[in-house]
Amino acid sequence: MFSKLQQRWKVNGLQLFLILCTFALGGSLCGYLARRLLISTGLEKNGLWVVLYIIAMTLIWPLCVLLVSIPFGQYPFFKKYLTKVWTRMTRQKSPVTHVAIFASGAGSNAHKIIDHFQNNGAVKISLIVCNNPQAGVLNLAAARKIPSLLIQKKRFYEEDAYLPELARQHIDFIVLAGFLWKVPVTLINKFPNKIINIHPALLPKYGGKGMYGDKVHEAVLAAKEKESGITIHYVDEIYDHGNIIQQATCSIEENETPASLAQKIHQLEHKHYPEVISHLLQATNNS
Ligand code: GRF
C-alpha cells in the first residue's frame, strides 16, 4: 500500500512519512477547530449539529493541512494536491467529440474505428462521408445506423465543401480512412490540425497523387525495400504531406506479393489507427 502511494505521488519514503503525518495532524486540528466553532457559536445544540460539523470540517480541512504542511516542509506537495482535488471537483463533464470518417472503399478501417469508440461516452462517430455510391462503407454506415453523406466533386471543391452538413452533425474532428480525393483548403482551414489520414507506406516515400492501394505496395516491392508500414499524419493542402503523427513497420519477406503485403499493412492499420485517434482526441480535450 505504501509503495503504491509512493509511486502515485512520486515521493520517497521519508516524504511519504511526512505527508501522512501532515494528513493525521491536519485532520485532528481540523476536527478540533470545527468542534470549537460549533461550541462558540452555540450550534452544537442544534439538532443538525452532525451535518454542520461535517460542513465545517470540509471547509476547514484544506486550511488545516496546508498550515500543518509548512513545518513538515510539505507545503508544495499539498498545494498541488489540493489544487488537483479542487479541479476534479469543479471540472465540468467534458462534451462529446463528434468525428466524421471520410472513406470511399471497403471501409475496414472505418469498421475498426467505429467498433473502438462504440461504448465511448466522450467520442461519437457521427457521420460517414463518401464519394462513391458503390462503396462498402455506406452499407457499414447503414448497418451501424450512422448518418452518411454522399458528396459531389463540384460542391466539395468549388462551393461550400459541405461545411453546413458537417456543422449539422457538430463535427469536431475528421478521420480519412481510404478517402482518395484531395481535401479542399476550405475544409482544412475550417478544421486546422483536426484532419488526419492513414497511408499504407512509410512516408515520405511512396506517397502523393495516384499512390493508393496496390500501387503503393507494388512500388515498395519493385524498390526491393526490406520493410514497409503505415503512416498516420495530419492533412494539409498537399497529398500525403502533413506532419507525421505515428508510423509502424512490418518486414518484407523474399516471396512477398502486393496482396500479402496489403494484408500485413491492414493489420497494422487496424491496430494503430483507432488507438492514435483516441490519444489525439484525449490530448485535444485535455488541452
Ligand atoms: C487503407 O489501406 C489506407 O491506408 C488507405 O486506404 C485503405 C483503406 O482501406 N488510405 P479500407 O477501406 O479501410 O479497408
Side-chain angles (χ1 to χ4, degrees), residues 110-186:
H111 201 150
K112 292 289 167 187
I113 296 165
I114 293 166
D115 283 352
H116 186 88
F117 290 107
Q118 70 180 347
N119 295 321
N120 186 318
V123 177
K124 184 171 179 214
I125 308 301
S126 300
L127 186 65
I128 302 286
V129 177
C130 180
N131 65 297
N132 172 11
Q134 314 303 333
V137 73
L138 290 174
N139 300 330
L140 173 68
R144 304 300 284 265
K145 298 193 171 45
I146 300 170
S148 59
L149 175 67
L150 193 58
I151 58 172
Q152 308 292 330
K153 221 168 211 164
K154 187 167 181 307
R155 186 170 164 201
F156 198 46
Y157 291 107
E158 293 169 28
E159 296 169 27
D160 61 10
Y162 293 88
L163 293 184
E165 277 79 357
L166 297 177
R168 204 165 298 140
Q169 298 295 340
H170 311 287
I171 299 303
D172 306 293
F173 198 85
I174 296 176
V175 170
L176 310 187
F179 184 71
L180 301 185
W181 287 0
K182 201 166 158 187
V183 177
V185 179
T186 317

Side-chain angles (χ1 to χ4, degrees), residues 103-113 137 176-180 197-201 211-213 216-217 229-231 240 262 265-266 269-270 273:
S104 310
S108 70
N109 278 286
H111 201 150
K112 292 289 167 187
I113 296 165
V137 73
L176 310 187
F179 184 71
L180 301 185
N197 180 42
I198 189 161
H199 185 75
M211 286 302 262
Y212 60 88
V216 178
H217 307 313
I230 59 164
T231 305
D240 302 325
I265 295 288
H266 258 115
E269 292 182 336
H270 297 165
Y273 209 14

